[in-house]
Amino acid sequence: MTQVKYAGIAVVAAWLALLLQSASAQASMDEHAAHRAAMAKTRYSVTTDTYDVPNVELVDAEGRQVELQELLGGDQPVALNFIFTTCTTICPVMTATFSQMRQALGESAGQVELVSITIDPEYDRPPVLKAYADNFGADAGWIFLTGDSLDIENVLRSFDAYAGSKMNHQPLTLLKKPGDANWVRIDGLASGQSLAQEVSARLLNLQ
């Protein structure tokens, strides 16, 4: 009976170990769960809101200082998103979508300033951002920004885009006309064609 008892305990212990191993593996797999959930959504929502752009100085992919208020408050329409270069899910999709949007806009593309701000400034220093931008064929009229971690967090909070962790990052595009206090907020993964339509109608008055 004692041998049977110990054998039963051993089976239970082995079973518990398997459960723990499975839970650990599942937790690891779920690291990108928020991103995968965002990618599964095929629709996007459009709202309008006002945001106070913080008075911070960021750095572009060439290492140049950029006053964010001046950049976003200039005389050119702006399309803004938030990415980080080591993301393997929604960020490359969002970056490719900006590129596709420019193609869909055709000759009008040069009228819109594209701005991509990293949410992982500690890793995404200017050389990393430059390599990432080059990989997506970003050229004049599309600026990638990094900066101090606290400044980046300030920017994210100002645009109601702070998710606590980069792994909880959600797809977001913000559009603004010069001289307009309102921003058009697009939550979700819109296609390049859809973004081009939104930009044409809301920023360029082409529709």
Side-chain angles (χ1 to χ4, degrees), residues 172-196:
L172 169 65
T173 305
L174 295 155
L175 310 177
K176 184 179 181 298
K177 292 180 66 173
D180 194 335
N182 292 322
W183 287 79
V184 176
R185 181 186 180 98
I186 301 174
D187 287 286
L189 284 172
S191 68
Q193 186 62 44
S194 294
L195 277 186

Side-chain angles (χ1 to χ4, degrees), residues 56-79:
V56 296
E57 190 175 76
L58 301 183
V59 184
D60 70 10
E62 302 294 338
R64 296 172 297 209
Q65 303 295 315
V66 176
E67 298 287 344
L68 190 63
Q69 285 186 345
E70 182 178 336
L71 175 66
L72 300 184
D75 57 1
Q76 194 169 3
V78 172

Side-chain angles (χ1 to χ4, degrees), residues 116-171:
S116 294
I117 301 178
T118 179
I119 63 172
D120 186 12
E122 293 184 0
Y123 180 81
D124 290 341
R125 302 314 300 162
V128 175
L129 279 183
K130 180 171 175 52
Y132 183 83
D134 290 345
N135 189 48
F136 284 92
D139 51 17
W142 188 352
I143 185 170
F144 287 75
L145 297 174
T146 185
D148 178 82
S149 295
L150 291 178
D151 286 339
I152 294 294
E153 181 178 331
N154 189 6
V155 174
L156 290 169
R157 290 185 183 277
S158 296
F159 283 102
D160 193 21
Y162 183 71
S165 165
K166 66 183 181 182
M167 304 316 299
N168 293 325
H169 173 51
Q170 296 296 309

Side-chain angles (χ1 to χ4, degrees), residues 191-207:
S191 68
Q193 186 62 44
S194 294
L195 277 186
Q197 292 172 354
E198 297 290 348
V199 167
S200 294
R202 298 172 184 276
L203 298 187
L204 305 178
N205 299 321
L206 297 179
Q207 295 180 3

Side-chain angles (χ1 to χ4, degrees), residues 17 19 35 49 60 62 80 86 108 111 114 131 173 183 191 195 200-201:
L19 282 179
H35 284 177
D49 210 337
D60 70 10
E62 302 294 338
L80 166 68
T86 56
S108 300
Q111 300 180 42
L114 304 189
T173 305
W183 287 79
S191 68
L195 277 186
S200 294

